[in-house]
Amino acid sequence: MKEIPHIVSTFHILTLAEEATARYLSSILSPFGYHLHITKDFQESIQHIMTEQPSVLIISGQMQDDEGLALLQYLKTHRDYDELPVMFFSDGSEEQELRAFQIGAEDVCSLTTSEVAVRARLRVLLRIAGYRRRISNEKRRLEITVEQRTKELLEITVATVAALEKASELSDEETGDHMMRVAAYSACLAEEMGLDRAMVEKIRLYAPLHDVGKVGVRHEVLKKAGVLTNEEFDEMKQHTVFGYDLLTAAKADDVARNIALYHHERYDGSGYPYNLKKDEIPLEARIVAVADVFDALTTKRRYKEALPPKDALQITCVELGERFDPTVRQALINRFDQFVAIMQQTTGEE
Ligand SMILES: [Fe+2]
Ligand SMILES: [Fe+2]
């Protein structure tokens, strides 16, 4: 039965090979519609892979200095390229074939493989490339949807808090700008600390809800101009527990509930409501605590002026340093310039 030429217009096959192998491969593949782009060395191949994103790679085992195996090794140990299907075209030695498989080549052929078999096996690799591409497109599509949803949720959260603020159900500290800055600062700290992207986004999303429990505190206490009595302060402290209960009833994520309940705990154990210490406090709450205090210090309130960011940094990281997780403090120091930029964007203050 005659083999039908395979029209592969959307496929792009890169071949790293020396003259003789390149010529042979072209002679058995080109008449069947496979277009090969031939490169002659390691660097040129990498460059081509980065810019042209080929579907399949054929590597010759006859390159000088084992450059073929070196390229295979490089690709299979780099996350950006390890999904690119590779056919290794060996020098025929069993040792080299074994080595190529061990490194991770999807298939190995040689001059002893029949032409028909080379083409058939190449088709399998192209199919694999198609599946992998489809999976990665789907993954990207899902990521975009999740990002979109997260953005919507953040907007809903901020709108809810702004509505509460308008209804005077929150103190004058809980402005929409404060929420947005605490979200941005917290995400920035989480990122600097190397938390994974999903966690960073959760923290960004839920940080604005840290004081949502204040809706459960009596108006007189919340809006009192003078110093709170001990009883009033005890009532105020309850906003952490109210917030937790509210978010639990709303079936909110653990990250949201932890932030509400523990954002006033202090690293040295002097916080509330449970006097937790160090690692007993969930990381997300330790992060939001720093963001919250930095913002409180750098904004003007009814009873105090705004401090310059450098002074706020000194207070948060040194003077009151004991209260905060040292790794979060270090993250603040590392990202200080970004904090200042966030601050200037939303307050317009220097
Ligand atoms: Fe609070
Ligand atoms: Fe706050």
Side-chain angles (χ1 to χ4, degrees):
M1 199 170 72
K2 204 171 171 297
E3 198 183 353
I4 305 159
H6 191 73
I7 305 303
V8 281
S9 54
T10 57
F11 290 119
H12 178 132
I13 302 162
L14 175 65
T15 309
L16 168 66
E18 80 300 342
E19 193 74 39
T21 308
R23 215 174 318 120
Y24 172 71
L25 288 170
S26 294
S27 77
I28 65 167
L29 296 173
S30 302
F32 288 81
Y34 299 99
H35 173 73
L36 305 186
H37 179 95
I38 315 275
T39 48
K40 300 211 160 23
D41 66 30
F42 184 102
Q43 272 317 324
E44 196 191 339
S45 307
I46 296 289
Q47 192 59 37
H48 190 88
I49 290 167
M50 281 189 331
T51 54
E52 307 297 327
Q53 299 172 344
S55 308
V56 166
L57 176 59
I58 305 177
I59 302 179
S60 165
Q62 311 252 33
M63 304 292 295
Q64 269 189 351
D65 306 323
D66 263 344
E67 216 174 350
L69 282 175
L71 179 65
L72 179 62
Q73 176 93 44
Y74 178 84
L75 296 174
K76 293 301 173 190
T77 48
H78 278 73
R79 255 186 90 200
D80 291 346
Y81 312 120
D82 65 351
E83 299 238 302
L84 173 62
V86 176
M87 173 184 281
F88 195 82
F89 204 80
S90 85
D91 60 6
S93 75
E94 203 174 308
E95 192 195 332
Q96 196 188 48
E97 296 192 352
L98 190 67
R99 188 82 194 96
F101 274 128
Q102 277 170 341
I103 297 173
E106 272 73 5
D107 202 354
V108 177
C109 293
S110 72
L111 277 175
T112 61
T113 316
S114 77
E115 296 176 18
V116 175
V118 171
R119 287 190 288 270
R121 285 152 73 165
L122 185 60
R123 275 198 294 278
V124 172
L125 293 194
L126 288 169
R127 217 175 299 144
I128 291 175
Y131 295 146
R132 287 185 182 165
R133 194 155 290 181
R134 222 182 294 161
I135 290 170
S136 85
N137 285 345
E138 186 61 16
K139 215 175 119 205
R140 185 69 204 118
R141 205 182 58 77
L142 277 174
E143 276 170 7
I144 292 171
T145 313
V146 169
E147 269 168 32
Q148 188 69 30
R149 287 290 298 142
T150 308
K151 209 172 142 254
E152 283 168 20
L153 272 170
L154 185 58
E155 280 162 10
I156 292 169
T157 305
V158 172
T160 308
V161 172
L164 289 170
E165 188 191 326
K166 256 215 169 104
S168 291
E169 288 296 334
L170 294 179
S171 71
D172 66 345
E173 295 170 12
E174 320 315 318
T175 66
D177 280 349
H178 170 66
M179 303 299 160
M180 288 311 283
R181 280 192 303 270
V182 171
Y185 292 150
S186 301
C188 177
L189 293 170
E191 218 171 65
E192 176 63 23
M193 291 168 70
L195 271 63
D196 67 47
R197 205 161 140 231
M199 188 60 179
V200 172
E201 289 315 312
K202 276 188 183 182
I203 290 177
R204 188 196 308 280
L205 182 59
Y206 299 127
L209 293 174
H210 63 276
D211 272 338
V212 73
K214 283 196 176 164
V215 295
V217 177
R218 278 183 303 135
H219 214 78
E220 309 83 280
V221 176
L222 204 61
K223 298 279 175 178
K224 186 170 171 181
V227 181
L228 300 180
T229 64
N230 282 344
E231 292 74 44
E232 285 167 345
F233 190 49
D234 282 343
E235 184 178 342
M236 188 61 131
K237 285 178 181 174
Q238 284 300 305
H239 80 274
T240 52
V241 179
F242 290 149
Y244 177 83
D245 291 345
L246 208 127
L247 292 168
T248 303
K251 296 195 168 58
D253 193 278
D254 279 352
V255 174
R257 296 155 74 218
N258 286 342
I259 288 172
L261 186 56
Y262 301 116
H263 70 280
H264 286 286
E265 294 290 359
R266 291 176 182 166
Y267 202 69
D268 60 5
S270 66
Y272 65 85
Y274 305 121
N275 303 108
L276 298 184
K277 266 194 205 121
K278 300 187 175 176
D279 293 357
E280 292 168 355
I281 311 163
L283 182 58
E284 52 270 35
R286 279 181 266 151
I287 289 174
V288 173
V290 169
D292 193 27
V293 107
F294 183 87
D295 192 59
L297 292 170
T298 48
T299 41
K300 191 174 176 325
R301 298 272 161 94
R302 200 167 6 108
Y303 46 88
K304 68 163 197 66
E305 286 304 312
L307 284 180
K310 277 231 160 68
D311 295 358
L313 180 72
Q314 167 76 10
I315 293 176
T316 314
C317 294
V318 184
E319 286 167 41
L320 301 181
E322 308 272 281
R323 298 182 180 181
F324 306 108
D325 181 340
T327 52
V328 185
R329 277 188 273 143
Q330 189 56 50
L332 167 57
I333 293 167
N334 298 351
R335 292 289 185 110
F336 181 65
D337 290 348
Q338 205 177 328
F339 267 58
V340 174
I342 293 168
M343 198 186 100
Q344 285 169 350
Q345 260 170 30
T346 50
T347 59
E349 283 176 34
E350 286 301 309

